[in-house]
Amino acid sequence: MRGKLRLVLATLLSVFLFVSCGGSKETASGDAKVKDTIVVSDGAEAKSLDPHATNDAQSSRVTVQIYDRLVEQGDNMEIVPGLAESWEQPDGRTTIFHLRKGVKFHNGEELKASDVKFSFDRMKASPQVSHIIGTVESVEVIDDNTVKVTTTQPFGALLSHLSHPTAAIMNEKAVKEYGDSYGQHPVGTGPYKFVSWQSGDRITLEANPDYFLGEAPIKNVVFRPIVEGSNRTIAIETGEVDIAYDIEGLDKDKLRNDDTVVFLEEPSLSIDYIGFNTKKAPFDNLKVRQAIATAINADDIIAAVYKGSGTKANSLIGPKVFGHTDEAKAWEYNVEKAKQLLAEAGYPNGFKTTIWINENPDRRDIAVILQAQLKEIGIDMTIETLEWGAYLDGTARGDHEMFILGWVSVTGDADYGLFPLLHSSTFGGAGNRSFYLNPKVDELLTKARNSVDQEERKELYKEVQIIVQEEVPLYITAYKAQNAALQKNIENFKLKAAGHHRLYGVKFKSN
């Protein structure tokens, strides 16, 4: 009896060890282990796994594992085939996509052109993401494997926009079957299938054995939200997680110098910016905005806020984005020049103003540094912190004076990085919260959007950036870097410039 009890206890202990080690399994010989689960931590939980319901980074980091798009971004931001194996553009408004044959959704349904039409029509009807393919006028099914997309005008950035995570192709049957709960029951064609979502704790995925590019090397993926940055660092140090995204503050230096982990850091497509409501005095005065831009020491912000993980900016879009130019102006710190500009603007003794921020520690720290720097030229700036929803609503209405926000040029194309923030058709919630209006910039942005000549588009975007940097409706604090910390046994993980890191192809090193 005692022997049987020992056997039961031993069995229970082995089960416990399997669960606690994230899915490590002993082989029949008992002398080797195969780890089949990768645990990834992020700073927030996904909002929804319906790509048309949200455009936040945390949701997209999960959905890009579940879904595919017609086209994808390569490692160097180039457009590569996805669910479409090829395409042609017979004229500036028409693109015909030829789908891969035999691709299956996770529910066993075969991918058809009707699913593509359904997905794009649904995307256009979504207030959250419709702007990404807003130029698409119609989607026509030619046959089961061919679909024709027509835009209202020629649109040079179409393929880049269709590589956006929200342009995921869904299965019409599954979406209709799950209805309002689809965001908790996603069905794609991607390398990983949805298994479960324990709210506040974890989202679990498993490898899709029928994936058209071959089954993923790692069988299971677990996404865990760990909100506190220092706790993500601890989770990496203790081996609780395999990959941790967005290491913060001094923890970056700590992990850089820790030879038990791998710390990756690369330029991203992300910016933070200080915005001015150009409809309100004194920010309707060009020289006031230029004075503030000259009074800001970006090096202080990069050192203190980003801990060196950023570079000085000369545009709203960084060097990795198509259309970026080095010829636009980068503002240089000069207190005396700033005072002179402020006096020329009619404010020799400065003025009082308020800057809005949301509950974001980096933006709070930027505001505190800015407050001290502007005091040097006589500007008395009060910092006001708003709840995120109230912040978005208020800046959309134009209730603010100054504000701090961020933007990511997700598609890697200047249209996505410039049009929403600068065009007069996007005032308020659509992106242009500075209410910047320049008819020449509107004309250039529209012409660049409607051109399919990529060299012409580059020249048009260069002119936009030169004008806007001089008129400074937005001051870009830095081109931000992104990072991740990994266990040393992780292979093939790469940071995606847009921040939506793919796990397909990632594997554990063999012992």
Side-chain angles (χ1 to χ4, degrees):
M1 184 69 180
R2 189 171 294 170
K4 287 183 179 179
L5 180 59
R6 286 198 188 100
L7 182 60
V8 170
L9 288 172
T11 302
L12 287 172
L13 180 59
S14 69
V15 171
F16 171 77
L17 287 171
F18 167 74
V19 173
S20 65
C21 292
S24 293
K25 295 192 291 191
E26 286 198 8
T27 62
S29 63
D31 59 2
K33 290 184 178 181
V34 178
K35 189 168 164 58
D36 64 0
T37 298
I38 190 166
V39 181
V40 181
S41 67
D42 207 341
E45 186 172 31
K47 292 180 180 176
S48 172
L49 300 184
D50 178 350
H52 299 166
T54 183
N55 189 19
D56 68 290
Q58 281 71 34
S59 297
S60 294
R61 284 173 172 174
V62 181
T63 59
V64 293
Q65 323 304 332
I66 298 171
Y67 301 93
D68 296 301
R69 288 136 292 280
L70 289 182
V71 295
E72 305 284 0
Q73 286 178 357
D75 291 339
N76 298 311
M77 306 299 297
E78 76 278 17
I79 298 300
V80 298
L83 291 176
E85 60 184 3
S86 64
W87 54 89
E88 66 259 7
Q89 295 178 302
D91 59 64
R93 294 179 52 215
T94 306
T95 307
I96 298 172
F97 292 97
H98 303 281
L99 305 182
R100 296 179 189 268
K101 295 177 181 177
V103 175
K104 289 187 176 180
F105 287 98
H106 300 153
N107 60 356
E109 292 278 307
E110 190 163 335
L111 168 70
K112 293 184 178 178
S114 58
D115 293 301
V116 176
K117 175 175 171 56
F118 170 79
S119 298
F120 285 176
D121 288 348
R122 186 173 184 265
M123 187 178 178
K124 281 185 67 68
S126 165
Q128 289 84 0
V129 300
S130 59
H131 63 281
I132 295 168
I133 59 164
T135 61
V136 172
E137 181 177 66
S138 65
V139 181
E140 181 185 345
V141 173
I142 304 300
D143 58 43
D144 278 353
N145 300 299
T146 312
V147 64
K148 181 169 79 171
V149 175
T150 305
T151 55
T152 53
Q153 299 285 338
F155 183 40
L158 176 66
L159 294 178
S160 295
H161 279 233
L162 294 183
S163 73
H164 194 285
T166 60
I169 304 304
M170 304 180 187
N171 176 240
E172 181 175 4
K173 179 181 176 182
V175 173
K176 290 180 175 177
E177 179 182 336
Y178 287 110
D180 291 343
S181 67
Y182 178 78
Q184 287 74 47
H185 300 91
V187 174
T189 59
Y192 284 97
K193 301 193 294 184
F194 176 77
V195 175
S196 63
W197 186 346
Q198 295 166 258
S199 182
D201 181 50
R202 65 189 59 210
I203 292 172
T204 303
L205 312 178
E206 68 179 5
N208 172 14
D210 298 320
Y211 189 50
F212 66 87
L213 293 177
E215 187 172 357
I218 297 176
K219 183 177 180 181
N220 306 298
V221 176
V222 174
F223 283 92
R224 288 190 50 207
I226 302 179
V227 177
E228 181 60 45
S230 60
N231 289 341
R232 285 200 299 285
T233 299
I234 291 169
I236 273 286
E237 291 175 323
T238 61
E240 182 184 345
V241 303
D242 298 296
I243 301 176
Y245 295 148
D246 303 334
I247 302 300
E248 299 173 357
L250 296 175
D251 284 347
K252 288 187 281 192
D253 285 334
K254 184 180 181 183
L255 293 183
R256 276 192 196 101
N257 299 315
D258 186 342
D259 60 8
T260 67
V261 301
V262 176
F263 184 78
L264 301 178
E265 186 170 66
E266 296 176 7
S268 72
L269 304 181
S270 175
I271 60 165
D272 284 331
Y273 64 85
I274 298 161
F276 310 100
N277 187 341
T278 60
K279 280 192 170 182
K280 284 188 176 181
F283 303 109
D284 56 348
N285 188 315
L286 171 61
K287 289 193 174 181
V288 167
R289 302 195 302 270
Q290 292 177 332
I292 292 174
T294 309
I296 297 173
N297 186 341
D299 290 333
D300 285 352
I301 294 172
I302 291 168
V305 180
Y306 305 126
K307 308 301 180 189
S309 298
T311 55
K312 289 185 73 170
N314 76 320
S315 170
L316 277 72
I317 55 175
K320 282 196 169 189
V321 178
F322 172 85
H324 170 83
T325 180
D326 293 327
E327 296 181 32
K329 180 175 187 172
W331 287 92
E332 296 297 330
Y333 173 59
N334 187 327
V335 171
E336 292 309 311
K337 177 68 173 174
K339 288 179 178 177
Q340 178 188 332
L341 286 165
L342 207 55
E344 291 173 7
Y347 298 91
N349 301 314
F351 55 84
K352 291 185 177 182
T353 189
T354 299
I355 191 166
W356 281 13
I357 61 171
N358 67 302
E359 296 155 324
N360 176 299
D362 278 1
R363 291 171 191 167
R364 177 200 62 214
D365 293 345
I366 292 169
V368 169
I369 292 170
L370 182 64
Q371 186 180 49
Q373 292 180 347
L374 294 191
K375 193 172 183 180
E376 293 292 310
I377 63 170
I379 296 177
D380 181 5
M381 187 185 78
T382 301
I383 301 168
E384 187 173 341
T385 304
L386 283 76
E387 179 273 328
W388 183 234
Y391 179 93
L392 290 177
D393 290 344
T395 52
R397 289 192 302 267
D399 297 343
H400 57 296
E401 295 176 350
M402 295 175 66
F403 65 111
I404 300 178
L405 252 182
W407 192 260
V408 185
S409 298
V410 176
T411 65
D413 188 279
D415 180 80
Y416 194 88
L418 299 176
F419 195 98
L421 296 180
L422 300 173
H423 199 278
S424 63
S425 67
T426 62
F427 278 170
N432 188 350
R433 295 171 194 265
S434 61
F435 295 90
Y436 173 66
L437 171 60
N438 181 319
K440 178 64 174 176
V441 169
D442 276 2
E443 178 190 340
L444 292 167
L445 287 171
T446 301
K447 189 174 181 181
R449 167 171 276 199
N450 294 339
S451 172
V452 294
D453 181 333
Q454 301 304 330
E455 290 305 313
E456 179 187 37
R457 295 181 72 229
K458 282 183 184 178
E459 288 302 311
L460 293 167
Y461 287 130
K462 179 171 79 172
E463 193 173 348
V464 168
Q465 290 164 81
I466 290 170
I467 293 170
V468 171
Q469 279 300 105
E470 189 64 36
E471 297 198 343
V472 65
L474 309 168
Y475 178 93
I476 315 308
T477 59
Y479 297 134
K480 295 167 66 176
Q482 60 177 339
N483 67 64
L486 330 174
Q487 299 299 340
K488 294 192 82 170
N489 64 338
I490 300 291
E491 282 188 321
N492 297 340
F493 176 82
K494 296 178 182 178
L495 290 168
K496 279 282 189 179
H500 311 126
H501 316 306
R502 267 66 165 181
L503 298 174
Y504 179 69
V506 174
K507 61 182 180 179
F508 295 112
K509 294 178 184 176
S510 54
N511 293 330

